[in-house]
Amino acid sequence: MKWKRKANRRPPTELRKIIHIDMDAFFASVEQRDNPELRGKPIAVGGSKMRGVVAAASYEARVFGVRSAMPSVTAKRLCPDLIFVKSSFDKYREVSDQIREIFYSYTDLVEPLSLDEAYLDVTETKRGPASATLVAQAIRQEIFEATQLTASAGVSFNKFLAKVASDINKPNGLKVIMPDDAPAFLAALPVEDFHGIGKVTAARMHKMGYRSGADLLTLSEVEMAQRFGKVGRHYYRIVRALDDRPVNPNRNRKSVGAERTYSEDVTALSEMKDKLDWLAEKVFDYLVERDNFGRTVTLKMKSPEFVIHTRSRSFNGEIRKLVDLKEIAHQLLTENIDDVPVVRLLGLSVSNLEREGGEGLQLLLPFEEE
């Protein structure tokens, strides 16, 4: 009988071996793989020339500044030769399932973050070498052989460092951060490259004179909290490579949302959009306040018969502008208005947050705005 190692037992003091795998421009790369005429050309998945929002952009398009969650009209202005491709989420899920099968062949401790990225704890594996670096190389090779797509990987002793590392040598790259190398790596790292420090907070840090990890290391935990609020304590830990979060195969999605039940049924599309704009502003204000943005937008609609419909859209990058959040919400509404032409409740939430912890938050709002 073949002995099977269990991937969830180890001494509590043993350093973990964590891999973060992130597919390279996943949606766009799948489309370029399946259509040779798109290879080497700037493409945007989703949206159109006149309306909509970009769900993903190829690396050829990113050179021009095109990014996910960008209005299509802006993307086209930045890159006049941009080719818009209709999204195929059933196909992306199928490819994602192929990739996850490879993950699970090495360990049961897999924490998917989205269709195209996941954490893996390979401290003990079902097969393959003992080296996490060699496991990461093998996984990337197997992904390419199975899908003809490339993936980047970060390898380290905790989730934070593995996540940061996976971005270092993109696309099709590998970065390893060993325990002895972590202090110098983090000291030299620009604050905007710390996972969990958003653009707004990074700009604020720059104004305060903090531009790198070395600058943040001069602050005590109390000083961090005084300058940046409760999240400052988190910054204090990550700049010191302190992150004891385990890879959680049963990870719950976290979200921030707002919903409103109306005293009278809403029948006009224009009025629904106005009410969604109000909800979007409430949600976005909360995200901005905590500098913590997300990649998935979900629209909730309840009919007068109390039937609930939800529709979601995910993007490769976080939605960081209110105008983009509103446009995505309008698009989801317009696409599904035939299913729920009259509503008594509308809700809007953002999930797949940069920093996820605790349960999903539903903002408390009065019954109906004045």
Side-chain angles (χ1 to χ4, degrees):
M1 180 177 178
K2 187 175 180 180
W3 178 68
K4 182 179 179 181
R5 287 175 283 181
K6 294 185 178 180
N8 59 349
R9 293 182 180 178
R10 57 177 174 274
T13 57
E14 183 180 350
L15 285 176
R16 295 184 177 96
K17 300 176 184 178
I18 307 297
I19 301 173
H20 178 258
I21 298 284
D22 191 7
M23 300 300 295
D24 298 320
F26 182 52
F27 298 166
S29 295
V30 171
E31 298 300 337
Q32 289 178 317
R33 178 198 68 177
D34 294 347
N35 185 349
E37 293 183 359
L38 298 177
R39 295 173 190 171
K41 297 179 181 179
I43 74 166
V45 176
S48 68
K49 293 182 180 180
M50 300 303 296
R51 61 188 300 275
V53 177
V54 174
S58 68
Y59 282 102
E60 295 86 354
R62 295 182 188 186
V63 172
F64 294 89
V66 178
R67 295 289 185 270
S68 63
M70 175 179 287
S72 299
V73 64
T74 303
K76 188 67 175 178
R77 184 172 65 249
L78 292 172
C79 181
D81 294 328
L82 188 64
I83 301 170
F84 290 93
V85 181
K86 185 178 179 180
S87 58
S88 307
F89 281 96
D90 288 342
K91 180 166 59 176
Y92 307 150
R93 291 189 185 93
E94 182 179 341
V95 177
S96 179
D97 288 343
Q98 287 182 274
I99 295 166
R100 289 184 187 179
E101 282 299 314
I102 296 171
F103 295 162
Y104 287 117
S105 73
Y106 282 91
T107 177
D108 292 329
L109 295 181
V110 177
E111 181 179 336
L113 302 178
S114 60
L115 291 178
D116 62 338
E117 64 173 316
Y119 289 113
L120 291 76
D121 186 329
V122 295
T123 309
E124 297 184 29
T125 58
K126 296 177 182 178
R127 66 182 179 98
S131 164
T133 302
L134 294 179
V135 170
Q137 291 174 339
I139 288 174
R140 291 173 60 240
Q141 181 62 33
E142 290 183 32
I143 288 174
F144 183 77
E145 291 174 355
T147 68
Q148 291 75 57
L149 300 172
T150 63
S152 295
V155 181
S156 197
F157 57 93
N158 64 39
K159 291 168 70 173
F160 167 72
L161 284 169
K163 173 71 173 178
V164 172
S166 66
D167 281 335
I168 298 297
N169 293 320
K170 264 187 166 293
N172 197 24
L174 172 67
K175 173 67 177 178
V176 181
I177 303 175
M178 301 296 288
D180 291 342
D181 300 328
F185 173 83
L186 290 172
L189 193 68
V191 293
E192 57 267 26
D193 291 340
F194 276 74
H195 176 62
I197 295 182
K199 292 182 179 179
V200 174
T201 299
R204 183 181 169 201
M205 287 180 172
H206 282 196
K207 290 181 180 179
M208 299 170 71
Y210 307 120
R211 296 186 172 274
S212 68
D215 296 326
L216 295 179
L217 283 167
T218 65
L219 299 175
S220 68
E221 186 172 2
V222 172
E223 289 171 328
M224 281 280 205
Q226 289 174 339
R227 285 163 174 76
F228 307 110
K230 186 182 296 185
V231 73
R233 299 187 184 277
H234 171 69
Y235 299 155
Y236 176 86
R237 291 181 57 79
I238 61 175
V239 77
R240 290 165 175 79
L242 301 175
D243 180 11
D244 57 2
R245 296 172 300 153
V247 170
N248 181 9
N250 300 312
R251 175 178 179 269
N252 293 321
R253 298 292 181 188
K254 312 302 188 299
S255 64
V256 174
E259 63 183 41
R260 173 58 58 82
T261 299
Y262 303 105
S263 55
E264 296 181 2
D265 293 342
V266 184
T267 59
L269 178 60
S270 60
E271 186 179 2
M272 293 181 196
K273 288 183 177 180
D274 289 342
K275 293 183 180 298
L276 273 181
D277 285 348
W278 190 83
L279 293 172
E281 289 168 4
K282 297 299 180 184
V283 172
F284 196 78
D285 284 348
Y286 184 92
L287 298 174
V288 170
E289 180 182 350
R290 283 149 181 82
D291 193 21
N292 190 18
F293 300 89
R295 303 190 302 173
T296 298
V297 178
T298 300
L299 170 68
K300 178 180 179 180
M301 299 172 287
K302 182 185 289 186
S303 71
E305 295 76 30
F306 294 88
V307 177
I308 295 175
H309 299 255
T310 59
R311 297 292 184 270
S312 299
R313 184 150 298 159
S314 296
F315 301 87
N316 278 357
E318 289 79 22
I319 296 99
R320 295 180 176 275
K321 294 181 179 180
L322 176 59
V323 64
D324 295 341
L325 179 58
K326 289 181 177 180
E327 174 63 24
I328 295 164
H330 289 182
Q331 192 171 15
L332 288 169
L333 176 65
T334 302
E335 291 172 355
N336 296 282
I337 191 65
D338 289 342
D339 295 332
V340 193
V342 179
V343 299
R344 72 183 309 272
L345 175 148
L346 285 172
L348 190 69
S349 64
V350 175
S351 57
N352 271 337
L353 304 178
E354 292 173 285
R355 299 185 307 275
E356 295 187 332
E359 298 301 320
L361 174 67
Q362 188 70 28
L363 301 179
L364 298 177
L365 302 177
F367 183 76
E368 185 170 10
E369 72 271 24
E370 298 298 330

